[in-house]
Amino acid sequence: MPATQEKAVLITLFGGTGDLAQRKLYPALFRLFKKGYLRQHFAVIGTARREWSDAYYREIVMQSIASLSDDETEKEEFSSHFYYLSHNVQNTQEYQQLKELASELDKKYQTQQNRVFYLAMAPQFFGTITEHLKTQHLLTEQGFNRLIIEKPFGHNLESAIELNDQLAQTFEETQIYRIDHYLGKEMVQNINAIRFSNIFFEPLWNNKFVDNVQITLSEEVGVGTRAGYYDTSGGALLDMVQNHIFQILSLLIMEPPVQMDGNDVRQEKIKALRSLRAYSPEDVKQNFVRAQYTQSEELLGYLQEDGVVEHSRTETYVAGKLMVDNFRWAGVPFYIRTGKRLANKNTVIHIQFRSVDVNLFHSPTQVDILPDVLTIHIQPSQGMSFNINVKQMGLSNDIERKPLLHYVSPEQEKDIPEAYERLILECLNGNNANFAHRQEVELSWKFIDLVRSAWDNDTSSDLPTYPAGSHGPKEGDDLLARDGFSWHSCDTIYCPNE
Ligand SMILES: NC(=O)c1ccc[n+]([C@@H]2O[C@H](COP(=O)([O-])OP(=O)(O)OC[C@H]3O[C@@H](n4cnc5c(N)ncnc54)[C@H](OP(=O)(O)O)[C@@H]3O)[C@@H](O)[C@H]2O)c1
């Protein structure tokens, strides 16, 4: 029997030769191995069409984890658990070999017939794989059977429902782990802790005390080698908003769950997403901004990127104002923005509280008291600051802004588990709180489809632009200025490393 924390499992990885597997999954599994969560009672079957031998596959695994340890014996011991089977997922006969190898490895490694099927492949194959897992009897009777899938979960509501229905033919919803790697990030997982374990936040977490909320996911990189895919698959709205931003939003707006388990947390997120105000095409025009980056000095514009179609109107930037129509949040705007080729890479949340009703601290040098702002830095810095007002030190009675800080130091950063490591372990533990439920996915598509169709039907308005490397288009700033707000920056709140 495995020791307490060790997991017994056979992982079948579809797409074992691919980029995700090599860059993220093998390193994540190795980290779990080093920490003892995976040890003797696990095996991995990597499959893809390429004709690789076990020996060659293990070499690839060794290369993926090369920088993670100097201990060659440890790395070899880890990769000896990896087996390769050349397999075309569309070929029914080939599942028989997979079944035989799986049974053999179940016995050899005493995996207790626990199986995880990880689909690191294009989503068009998900339906056929899960159907074959059922019809070709790859699911076990005694252990657990869990499915991990990667985004995108459809490209609109209709395709998401179709995909979810296909998966449901073989797996119960509780067995399906839809990965959104943002949910594996340290500070995203910290949102619940900040909200629900501090007496001074949860009582203020509502429309009586919160003035507005800002969520920014900005990227410094352009579309790069993904340009062709990005251009046809739907731009920033689909790449970042439908998944990562909506997941962060739902954690911020949900009600406290009864317990922090998958069922309760996901039910609260579903309820929260149901409260989002649906937008008409006119509302979309008022409340959403899309834009494209243009050439600036040595940085290419989007239209010059290799693989982008001529005159493409695909957005590389989105800003939006969302309203949550429930008792807790009525009237509070939630501003979101994301974009490529912006001035810096930064994922950050600002909760701006209301200002005090009476200002007792007027002075010639300071007229307004700034509102308190709770800032959660997700990446690249990880931590939080609570930006509050205090009296300046000394003889002056003026008020100044000071942050209360909690930040992860560069030394501590090394010990923070990588998102895939954390999420794979959560799946092995059967904890699906940090994986998207089908209803979360479908509710977010329902909203996104309204924006997408309003934009697709509007072919005549000019598409706003912003210079590559800038802070985004003026229209993104105007969205907040109309409500008397502005995006927080290092001028108004504490920024680490400034
Ligand atoms: N890469 C990332 O960082 C990343 C991040 C987030 C999400 N994702 C998602 O993860 C999935 C995989 O992405 P990826 O970047 O790893 O893609 P990739 O590098 O193109 O890998 C695709 C894999 O599928 C295999 N494959 C293709 N057709 C097959 C078939 N008919 N039968 C069996 N195997 C087949 C390929 O191997 P053969 O050619 O040898 O068959 C390869 O191993 C996608 O859904 C992607 O959207 C990726």
Side-chain angles (χ1 to χ4, degrees):
M1 283 292 285
T4 347
Q5 69 168 10
E6 190 197 339
K7 309 295 162 203
V9 67
L10 172 66
I11 300 172
T12 304
L13 178 57
F14 293 89
T17 61
D19 174 70
L20 181 74
Q22 294 185 50
R23 271 194 320 109
K24 296 287 183 188
L25 306 185
Y26 302 143
L29 292 171
F30 182 59
R31 289 192 180 98
L32 293 175
F33 179 77
K34 279 174 64 133
K35 291 176 185 166
Y37 292 107
L38 296 175
R39 268 285 146 186
Q40 294 168 20
H41 301 276
F42 87 100
V44 176
I45 304 177
T47 82
R49 289 165 306 178
R50 259 160 265 190
E51 300 279 349
W52 283 2
S53 63
D54 284 347
Y56 184 70
Y57 183 44
R58 288 172 192 170
E59 263 178 50
I60 297 287
V61 172
M62 289 284 279
Q63 280 168 25
S64 308
I65 59 169
S67 62
L68 301 182
S69 168
D70 296 329
D71 184 343
E72 289 306 306
T73 316
E74 184 183 42
K75 287 190 280 195
E76 274 163 19
E77 160 61 14
F78 171 73
S79 55
S80 72
H81 289 252
F82 284 69
Y83 295 79
Y84 186 80
L85 192 70
S86 171
H87 169 256
N88 185 332
V89 296
Q90 289 169 309
N91 187 336
T92 303
Q93 286 80 44
E94 290 177 13
Y95 284 86
Q96 192 54 35
Q97 281 170 280
L98 200 53
K99 185 181 169 199
E100 284 162 16
L101 179 58
S103 307
E104 196 187 302
L105 296 178
D106 269 346
K107 289 195 195 83
K108 180 168 178 181
Y109 291 96
Q110 297 169 20
T111 61
Q112 301 175 358
Q113 297 200 27
N114 291 331
R115 293 195 179 169
V116 167
F117 301 93
Y118 199 128
L119 311 193
M121 289 189 57
Q124 78 250 29
F125 296 115
F126 292 176
T128 190
I129 299 173
T130 52
E131 186 192 337
H132 279 103
L133 293 179
K134 184 176 178 181
T135 60
Q136 302 308 304
H137 310 290
L138 273 103
L139 306 179
T140 57
E141 296 288 322
Q142 283 162 18
F144 61 68
N145 293 284
R146 294 178 189 149
L147 177 76
I148 304 184
I149 58 169
E150 284 286 338
K151 69 158 191 152
F153 312 126
H155 50 270
N156 55 22
L157 177 59
E158 192 187 344
S159 59
I161 292 175
E162 193 184 321
L163 173 65
N164 287 331
D165 286 348
Q166 282 174 346
L167 303 180
Q169 301 286 321
T170 301
F171 291 94
E172 302 284 333
E173 183 57 29
T174 50
Q175 297 174 300
I176 302 173
Y177 292 73
R178 294 178 189 81
I179 284 216
D180 183 321
H181 70 279
Y182 271 70
L183 291 182
K185 290 184 184 289
E186 181 70 25
M187 288 310 295
V188 174
Q189 295 207 339
N190 221 326
I191 292 173
N192 285 334
I194 293 168
R195 279 189 65 182
F196 302 129
S197 63
N198 294 298
I199 190 67
F200 53 92
F201 283 132
E202 189 47 31
L204 307 185
W205 211 262
N206 56 54
N207 57 3
K208 293 186 186 59
F209 298 98
V210 173
D211 218 4
N212 73 81
V213 176
Q214 303 176 12
I215 305 171
T216 296
L217 272 68
S218 71
E219 296 182 282
E220 209 174 331
V221 295
V223 282
T225 51
R226 286 178 70 219
Y229 171 76
Y230 189 89
D231 200 45
T232 49
S233 68
L237 189 66
L238 271 61
D239 199 36
M240 301 297 268
V241 182
Q242 182 273 331
N243 35 56
H244 312 316
I245 290 188
F246 269 50
Q247 282 297 328
I248 292 173
L249 176 74
S250 61
L251 286 172
L252 291 171
I253 63 176
M254 73 177 189
E255 291 300 314
V258 177
Q259 298 178 73
M260 291 306 299
D261 71 16
N263 188 36
D264 286 356
V265 171
R266 298 186 335 162
Q267 284 312 315
E268 293 305 338
K269 285 166 72 191
I270 291 165
K271 264 165 52 192
L273 290 169
R274 281 178 50 214
S275 313
L276 281 183
R277 184 181 300 174
Y279 281 161
S280 68
E282 188 48 39
D283 294 332
V284 171
K285 213 178 242 177
Q286 296 297 321
N287 294 301
F288 266 82
V289 171
R290 57 176 163 163
Q292 231 175 42
Y293 60 84
T294 51
Q295 185 156 12
S296 169
E297 296 174 6
E298 77 280 13
L299 297 174
L300 290 182
Y302 180 68
L303 293 178
Q304 286 89 50
E305 300 273 14
D306 205 11
V308 171
V309 301
E310 213 182 340
H311 308 304
S312 169
R313 283 172 68 82
T314 299
E315 75 286 347
T316 60
Y317 173 99
V318 175
K321 170 179 164 182
L322 300 156
M323 300 303 291
V324 182
D325 288 333
N326 61 21
F327 265 71
R328 183 185 281 263
W329 292 117
V332 178
F334 286 76
Y335 301 105
I336 59 167
R337 84 181 146 163
T338 183
K340 291 201 176 289
R341 276 279 181 255
L342 290 171
N344 48 27
K345 176 184 165 83
N346 194 18
T347 301
V348 65
I349 302 165
H350 301 292
I351 317 288
Q352 178 175 325
F353 293 90
R354 291 189 184 284
S355 299
V356 288
D357 292 333
V358 178
N359 180 359
L360 299 177
F361 295 91
H362 285 295
S363 78
T365 51
Q366 184 168 356
V367 180
D368 291 322
I369 293 188
L370 293 171
D372 297 342
V373 179
L374 172 67
T375 296
I376 302 175
H377 279 277
I378 296 167
Q379 64 183 17
S381 305
Q382 301 182 69
M384 54 179 274
S385 60
F386 190 28
N387 299 270
I388 59 167
N389 298 301
V390 293
K391 190 189 92 57
Q392 276 178 11
M393 293 279 275
L395 296 178
S396 157
N397 274 331
D398 281 2
I399 294 299
E400 69 172 341
R401 188 82 143 167
K402 285 284 178 193
L404 303 178
L405 301 178
H406 159 64
Y407 276 91
V408 175
S409 68
E411 299 81 63
Q412 290 169 319
E413 225 157 72
K414 291 198 289 286
D415 298 329
I416 291 192
E418 210 266 334
Y420 276 96
E421 174 190 347
R422 202 189 294 260
L423 292 173
I424 291 172
L425 180 61
E426 286 177 8
C427 170
L428 297 179
N429 283 330
N431 174 8
N432 55 14
N434 290 310
F435 297 83
H437 188 283
R438 76 171 284 173
Q439 280 176 275
E440 292 172 58
V441 172
E442 291 170 14
L443 284 162
S444 49
W445 277 122
K446 196 171 160 191
F447 183 92
I448 294 296
D449 281 1
L450 297 173
V451 180
R452 186 83 264 163
S453 72
W455 283 351
D456 288 350
N457 290 333
D458 172 11
T459 49
S460 57
S461 355
D462 288 340
L463 188 66
T465 58
Y466 58 102
S470 70
H471 288 280
K474 180 182 167 302
E475 289 79 352
D477 297 339
D478 294 345
L479 187 69
L480 276 69
R482 281 203 298 270
D483 297 337
F485 300 126
S486 57
W487 295 107
H488 285 291
S489 68
C490 300
D491 298 336
T492 54
I493 53 106
Y494 171 83
C495 290
N497 312 320
E498 278 293 307

